[in-house]
Amino acid sequence: GGYEGGAYLANKYGLTPKMLIVPDGGDNLIFINKSKGVCALRIDSVGKPVHASRIWDGKNAIEPLVKLCSEVLKRYGKNNKKESWKTTVNIGKFQGGVFVNQVCPEAYVTLDFRFPESTTSDVIIAEVTEIARDIDPTLKISKCSVGKPTFVDKKDKVVKLFIKSFEKTFGRKIEIKGTYGASDARHFADLNIPILMIKPLGGDIHGDNENIDIDSCLAFYEALQNFLGEFEKSKISLHW
């Protein structure tokens, strides 16, 4: 989650740059002008273990979590079906139970929401909290990872200069798109600064064959040099 990197620099070290260059984001030299925020939650449930033949004497910790997940999917599951700039949710982990003939004593589930700039993590947490309270007031909700969406205006002078430098170096048109994943840039979202997000060529991110093209890394370095040189000459004023 970048907590020893970007988060440390932003929150503990107090780094406040006037612009941010992030070698992350879209594949195939796509400039990322916006990214979704992340809100990962863990919901814990505690039950009362008894033998499964006398289930009425106990409390199954799994049942309220199943109901909660069902309710959350009713609200957001349709957004999971196709690519869109809407809030999605992933049931990342569901764990509980020991024996098939025992009423589960404790369980938990993790939910990973990815949301656009039209909402906030506070809204999502409040919604999940309300759902949990209606199902079982003893459910405990905790944050795993939370980050705001990022956005930069593609008409911004710095952005245009940055893209021009990459187009000149790579000899190709740089496409501009949003991304559904989060990056360390989220830790600087409150600064409202130009976020320049693009990465060298590569593929299969987080997969078994994750790779990066060395030649494009060298060209990437050259493009950054060109941009910084042109930026220094441009005298563009940056403000927080």
Side-chain angles (χ1 to χ4, degrees):
Y3 292 104
E4 301 300 323
Y8 175 84
L9 291 174
N11 303 324
K12 294 185 179 180
Y13 184 79
L15 181 66
T16 53
K18 291 188 177 182
M19 68 176 173
L20 192 68
I21 298 173
V22 184
D24 198 353
D27 293 326
N28 200 28
L29 281 177
I30 292 175
F31 179 86
I32 299 301
N33 68 322
K34 62 180 181 178
S35 62
K36 282 187 174 182
V38 58
C39 179
L41 305 175
R42 170 171 167 154
I43 300 93
D44 283 86
S45 175
V46 177
K48 178 184 176 183
V50 296
H51 194 274
S53 64
R54 298 190 58 82
I55 192 170
W56 50 85
D57 287 333
K59 178 185 177 184
N60 194 312
I62 294 176
E63 289 184 10
L65 295 181
V66 170
K67 293 177 182 178
L68 183 142
C69 288
S70 177
E71 186 61 34
V72 168
L73 288 174
K74 282 181 186 177
R75 304 187 187 195
Y76 295 104
K78 60 183 179 295
N79 298 341
N80 296 346
K81 303 301 181 183
K82 62 180 180 179
E83 187 173 328
S84 73
W85 202 249
K86 297 178 180 179
T87 300
T88 58
V89 62
N90 177 57
I91 301 173
K93 189 173 184 180
F94 203 127
Q95 186 165 313
V98 182
F99 306 108
V100 68
N101 63 343
Q102 180 191 50
V103 172
C104 176
E106 55 186 23
Y108 74 88
V109 65
T110 59
L111 302 177
D112 186 329
F113 293 87
R114 302 300 171 118
F115 60 94
E117 66 280 358
S118 56
T119 189
T120 67
S121 59
D122 288 340
V123 170
I124 292 171
I125 293 170
E127 185 174 23
V128 174
T129 299
E130 183 179 0
I131 294 172
R133 185 170 55 242
D134 290 343
I135 293 172
D136 185 343
T138 67
L139 292 178
K140 180 183 177 183
I141 300 173
S142 54
K143 299 178 187 178
C144 297
S145 179
V146 174
K148 293 184 177 181
T150 62
F151 173 80
V152 64
D153 187 351
K154 58 186 177 182
K155 296 180 180 179
D156 184 279
K157 291 181 180 179
V158 175
V159 173
K160 292 172 73 173
L161 185 64
F162 185 81
I163 291 175
K164 182 180 178 181
S165 297
F166 272 77
E167 289 180 337
K168 181 180 178 181
T169 303
F170 281 90
R172 59 185 287 185
K173 184 74 174 177
I174 299 297
E175 191 176 358
I176 301 174
K177 281 186 175 181
T179 184
Y180 305 109
S183 73
D184 282 5
R186 73 187 189 276
H187 301 300
F188 297 87
D190 286 334
L191 295 181
N192 194 29
I193 58 176
I195 294 174
L196 310 173
M197 191 184 304
I198 193 170
K199 68 181 180 184
L201 297 172
D204 198 29
I205 303 303
H206 297 315
D208 292 337
N209 298 307
E210 183 169 357
N211 64 89
I212 192 162
D213 182 80
I214 299 299
D215 288 339
S216 76
C217 286
L218 298 176
F220 190 90
Y221 173 77
E222 182 182 342
L224 289 179
Q225 278 190 315
N226 291 339
F227 164 68
L228 294 172
E230 292 299 319
F231 174 75
E232 187 175 8
K233 290 188 292 185
S234 72
K235 304 299 181 183
I236 295 175
S237 180
L238 290 173
H239 304 282
W240 282 292

